[in-house]
Amino acid sequence: MRLNNIKWNIDVIGKTKVWFTISGIIILAGLIALFTMGFNWGLDFTGGTVAEFNMHRTVTTTINNEITNILKNNGVKESQVKAIGPNNTHVSITTPSLDDKTRTAVINALKSKYKLSDKDLVSSQNVSASIGKEMQFGTLLACAVAALLMLIYIGFRFNFEMGAAAVLALIHDILIMISAYALLRIVVDTPFVAAILTVFGYSINDTIVIFDRIRDNIKLMRKSSYKEIANVSVNETMTRSINTVMTVLLMLILMYFFGPASIKSFALPLLVGITSGAYSSIFIASPLWVIFKDREGKNRVGNKVGNKPQKA
């Protein structure tokens, strides 16, 4: 094995059962939570009232918090407040469907607090839950199409076994994200959907780097087993994988703890997904490839034995 000049020496493939067990426990716990409690759907999916105000000033985190407190003081415990428009001078407020009395009280409180007029209420409308169902379907369709295209691309660039392993690793990442949201009761909203598609792209990139090294080492290590080739390839790319993911995670952690609420809701699923993506590229995709190649070899041997003429 080519481990003389490699910084890492981890038997990744030899501990395949350990990695699969860790993922299996997390996913199983998440699925149990999902089927027993369901998702904590956000207002983007359940529907509600959406209002937009022209604030005539830049909507800062302080203003966001003030508006949230005004809503809570009027009995609206769940809400989403986001700065929008040119120079973030408009604010979008999404709440569960409000009765006329509560809606009027909230509007008057905002007008009084920020010296707004009637024309500063740009729009106010009810959003049907059916739109949320369309978003759910659109997300599933986008993920399915993306997985299919990635399978075709990787199968064409490398081979089918690598394509299948990469797609299964992507499915693993999505299941981990779903499990985290179901277990921790995190609100599932639009940023979660965007994060899933982002994780798709990030995770597959790291997997391709490892598979590219495996392809090179297959030519250089002709007498080695698939397990040995995969182990060497993973260890050769380990430093690159860790440095890349830590750079991204550091920025996401800063976004989550110091960014406004609108950014936090996007940073959190990315934190979970990027971490899972880095894990799956090393500990899920590579072992799966070895399993597929070993089975392929056994099938070939079995076919050769089965085709031998039987002695009389």
Side-chain angles (χ1 to χ4, degrees):
M1 294 178 64
R2 297 171 52 216
L3 287 175
N4 295 331
N5 298 320
I6 301 176
K7 181 178 180 181
W8 299 87
N9 186 13
I10 303 174
D11 185 13
V12 174
I13 308 303
K15 295 180 174 60
T16 294
K17 292 182 179 180
V18 175
W19 317 131
F20 285 11
T21 300
I22 293 173
S23 296
I25 291 173
I26 296 173
I27 292 173
L28 179 61
L31 292 178
I32 292 174
L34 178 62
F35 285 113
T36 55
M37 297 182 292
F39 273 133
N40 183 13
W41 294 107
L43 298 173
D44 295 331
F45 291 95
T46 59
T49 300
V50 181
E52 178 184 342
F53 287 87
N54 182 359
M55 304 296 288
H56 300 290
R57 73 200 77 186
T58 301
V59 179
T60 61
T61 302
T62 301
I63 294 177
N64 272 357
N65 293 334
E66 290 175 351
I67 293 175
T68 301
N69 289 331
I70 289 174
L71 292 167
K72 289 181 178 179
N73 292 336
N74 285 275
V76 184
K77 296 181 179 180
E78 185 180 1
S79 64
Q80 294 175 357
V81 181
K82 298 179 182 179
I84 60 173
N87 300 319
N88 288 336
T89 56
H90 288 216
V91 64
S92 172
I93 304 172
T94 306
T95 66
S97 297
L98 304 178
D99 55 52
D100 292 338
K101 181 179 179 180
T102 303
R103 178 177 174 276
T104 302
V106 169
I107 292 174
N108 289 337
L110 291 172
K111 286 181 179 178
S112 176
K113 173 70 175 179
Y114 300 106
K115 305 297 188 290
L116 304 178
S117 63
D118 290 339
K119 65 179 181 180
D120 291 326
L121 176 58
V122 179
S123 65
S124 178
Q125 58 183 343
N126 290 324
V127 179
S128 171
S130 61
I131 296 178
K133 294 185 180 299
E134 292 177 5
M135 291 179 62
Q136 294 176 40
F137 175 76
T139 302
L140 292 174
L141 180 61
C143 290
V145 172
L148 178 61
L149 292 176
M150 288 177 184
L151 176 62
I152 294 173
Y153 168 73
I154 298 175
F156 176 77
R157 181 177 173 181
F158 297 96
N159 53 55
F160 176 78
E161 290 83 5
M162 287 184 174
V167 170
L168 287 175
L170 286 176
I171 295 174
H172 163 275
D173 297 338
I174 301 305
L175 290 176
I176 291 293
M177 291 180 69
I178 290 175
S179 298
Y181 268 65
L183 287 168
L184 302 177
R185 308 304 298 155
I186 304 171
V187 176
V188 179
D189 50 15
T190 305
F192 173 75
V193 176
I196 284 182
L197 299 178
T198 303
V199 169
F200 252 58
Y202 180 90
S203 180
I204 200 68
N205 177 68
D206 204 28
T207 303
I208 286 177
V209 170
I210 296 174
F211 282 170
D212 191 56
R213 185 59 58 89
I214 288 176
R215 182 176 60 179
D216 292 340
N217 284 335
I218 288 176
K219 301 175 183 178
L220 299 174
M221 303 170 62
R222 296 182 181 276
K223 295 182 180 181
S224 301
S225 66
Y226 292 123
K227 174 183 176 180
E228 292 172 334
I229 293 172
N231 264 334
V232 169
S233 302
V234 168
N235 281 281
E236 286 179 338
T237 57
M238 185 73 73
T239 299
R240 183 259 182 204
S241 298
I242 293 176
N243 289 341
T244 301
V245 73
M246 288 306 298
T247 302
V248 177
L249 288 180
L250 178 62
M251 183 57 64
L252 289 174
I253 291 171
L254 293 174
M255 288 170 58
Y256 181 75
F257 285 103
F258 300 104
S262 57
I263 294 181
K264 288 183 179 182
S265 60
F266 182 63
L268 181 59
L270 279 182
L271 271 171
V272 177
I274 295 299
T275 303
S276 174
Y279 174 86
S280 68
S281 296
I282 298 171
F283 301 107
I284 301 297
S286 301
L288 281 174
W289 175 77
V290 173
I291 291 173
F292 292 154
K293 295 301 292 184
D294 285 345
R295 287 184 177 178
E296 180 188 34
K298 290 179 181 179
N299 289 336
R300 287 179 179 177
V301 172
N303 290 334
K304 289 180 180 179
V305 172
N307 290 331
K308 288 183 178 180
Q310 300 292 326
K311 293 182 179 182

